[in-house]
């Protein structure tokens, strides 16, 4: 199996990357990023303005490049925060991200969520912070201009449903290259993955190991790393539970971006290309799907989960 996906532009996106969400503690994420790039062979880092750590990540990039890592060999993603979706704010938001990361361009820039917040919104947002007057296509037109300028090589979205993707697809001049969504064995996203396959939209899985600090932890969302089915498959192959889960995602053709700040885990999470889950393994894991989400409730704004996610 190839270790990269080919995007609509022809660019190659590595199937394993390092996530940087929930690592805003000083000096932690930077060390993890530099270690991943210089010692563990990573070629893909996923960032976002809202994570609050892009300046530290940028310092890590600078250090890695100084040690011989080539910028053109690294696929770097960031995301437009949803209080910056107003057309006049899109380019300045990207320029700030590029400044923080110390880069001349991004390989991929995503609209972080399908909702829009006011420019003075707090996080988590309150009802008065939601605004309906900025159509996604208006934001997208500005994203397309960033590609035209060479500031971004590919553009995409995050947390979009098939309904939202299709609406955007029909109107977009440059089609969305990627949809980054929560995906793991308890939320397998089969309908969304099939839609994206047909449209040529690559899927990236955030929280591919589940979310250990999710408020849904417990019976509704048990710890995936302790799942008996996953552990049985891991024992069969002599691998860790995390490696099995990540391999499962990659075998579905999905990019996985697990977050870790420990060198051992960063290394292990990358070591998933030298074994294959067989049909019995994949079927056993498929049976674990519980449609269990850990992310998104902050943005429901009075909607039910079913309404917000278009019953997907």
């Amino acid at each position: 199996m190839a270790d990269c996906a080919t995007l609509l532009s022809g660019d190659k996106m590595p199937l394993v990357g390092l996530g940087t969400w929930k690592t805003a503690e000083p000096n932690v994420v930077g060390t993890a990023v530099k270690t991943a790039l210089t010692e563990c062979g990573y070629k893909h880092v996923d960032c976002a303005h809202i994570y609050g750590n892009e300046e530290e990540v940028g310092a890590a990039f600078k250090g890695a490049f100084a040690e011989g890592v080539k910028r053109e060999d690294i696929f770097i993603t960031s995301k437009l925060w949803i209080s910056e979706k107003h057309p006049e704010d899109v380019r300045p938001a990207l320029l700030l991200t590029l400044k923080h990361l110390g880069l001349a361009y991004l390989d991929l820039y995503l609209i972080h969520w399908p909702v829009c917040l006011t420019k003075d919104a707090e996080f988590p947002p309150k009802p008065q912070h939601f605004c309906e007057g900025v159509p996604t296509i208006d934001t997208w037109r500005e994203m397309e201009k960033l590609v035209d300028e060479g500031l971004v090589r590919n553009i995409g979205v995050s947390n979009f449903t098939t309904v939202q993707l299709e609406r955007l697809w029909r109107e977009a001049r440059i089609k969305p290259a990627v949809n980054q969504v929560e995906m793991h064995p308890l939320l397998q996203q089969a309908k969304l993955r099939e839609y994206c396959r047909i449209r040529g939209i690559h899927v990236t899985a955030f929280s591919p190991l589940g979310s250990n600090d999710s408020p849904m932890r417990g019976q509704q969302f048990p710890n995936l790393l302790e799942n008996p089915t996953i552990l049985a498959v891991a024992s069969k192959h002599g691998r860790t539970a995390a490696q099995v889960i990540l391999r499962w995602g990659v075998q579905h053709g999905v990019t996985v971006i697990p977050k870790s700040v420990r060198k051992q885990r960063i290394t292990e999470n990358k070591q998933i290309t030298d074994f294959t889950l067989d049909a019995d393994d994949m079927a056993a894991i498929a049976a674990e799907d519980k449609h269990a989400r850990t992310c998104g409730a902050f943005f429901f704004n009075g909607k039910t989960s079913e309404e917000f996610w278009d019953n997907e």
Side-chain angles (χ1 to χ4, degrees), residues 77-147:
T77 300
S78 190
K79 308 176 191 73
L80 176 74
W81 185 237
I82 53 180
S83 61
E84 310 291 340
K85 288 177 70 174
H86 306 79
E88 67 273 16
D89 294 328
V90 174
R91 191 175 189 276
L94 171 69
L95 293 178
L96 182 61
T97 276
L98 290 176
K99 178 182 178 181
H100 285 168
L101 294 176
L103 304 175
Y105 69 93
L106 289 177
D107 296 278
L108 177 64
Y109 199 38
L110 306 177
I111 297 176
H112 208 146
W113 284 88
V115 299
C116 183
L117 300 179
T118 59
K119 297 180 184 182
D120 62 347
E122 302 170 0
F123 188 79
K126 298 177 181 178
Q128 64 268 27
H129 293 143
F130 289 84
C131 55
E132 304 294 336
V134 183
T136 295
I137 190 59
D138 289 356
T139 305
W140 192 257
R141 297 290 184 226
E142 299 304 312
M143 302 274 281
E144 291 173 329
K145 292 176 184 177
L146 301 177
V147 178

Side-chain angles (χ1 to χ4, degrees), residues 71-239:
R71 166 64 184 97
E72 59 267 29
D73 292 339
I74 308 302
F75 192 100
I76 300 173
T77 300
S78 190
K79 308 176 191 73
L80 176 74
W81 185 237
I82 53 180
S83 61
E84 310 291 340
K85 288 177 70 174
H86 306 79
E88 67 273 16
D89 294 328
V90 174
R91 191 175 189 276
L94 171 69
L95 293 178
L96 182 61
T97 276
L98 290 176
K99 178 182 178 181
H100 285 168
L101 294 176
L103 304 175
Y105 69 93
L106 289 177
D107 296 278
L108 177 64
Y109 199 38
L110 306 177
I111 297 176
H112 208 146
W113 284 88
V115 299
C116 183
L117 300 179
T118 59
K119 297 180 184 182
D120 62 347
E122 302 170 0
F123 188 79
K126 298 177 181 178
Q128 64 268 27
H129 293 143
F130 289 84
C131 55
E132 304 294 336
V134 183
T136 295
I137 190 59
D138 289 356
T139 305
W140 192 257
R141 297 290 184 226
E142 299 304 312
M143 302 274 281
E144 291 173 329
K145 292 176 184 177
L146 301 177
V147 178
D148 296 338
E149 288 187 67
L151 295 172
V152 174
R153 293 184 59 88
N154 301 275
I155 50 178
V157 297
S158 183
N159 299 296
F160 274 49
T161 66
T162 61
V163 173
Q164 294 157 343
L165 277 170
E166 181 63 16
R167 187 181 303 124
L168 176 59
W169 179 274
R170 291 178 181 274
E171 297 185 89
R173 172 172 61 89
I174 299 176
K175 306 302 184 185
V178 169
N179 186 23
Q180 185 180 126
V181 297
E182 181 180 0
M183 178 185 154
H184 41 69
L186 299 182
L187 179 66
Q188 299 188 16
Q189 300 277 24
K191 178 183 176 181
L192 181 66
R193 285 189 285 110
E194 177 61 13
Y195 169 85
C196 288
R197 183 191 66 78
I198 292 170
R199 284 301 196 197
I201 301 170
H202 184 61
V203 175
T204 295
F206 71 75
S207 296
L209 301 176
S211 183
N212 287 330
D213 56 358
S214 168
M216 297 176 66
R217 181 64 63 227
Q219 289 187 345
Q220 187 177 3
F221 196 97
N223 189 336
L224 262 176
L225 299 179
E226 299 173 357
N227 179 287
T229 297
I230 300 295
L231 290 174
V233 175
S235 178
K236 172 181 171 180
H237 291 276
R239 299 288 173 155

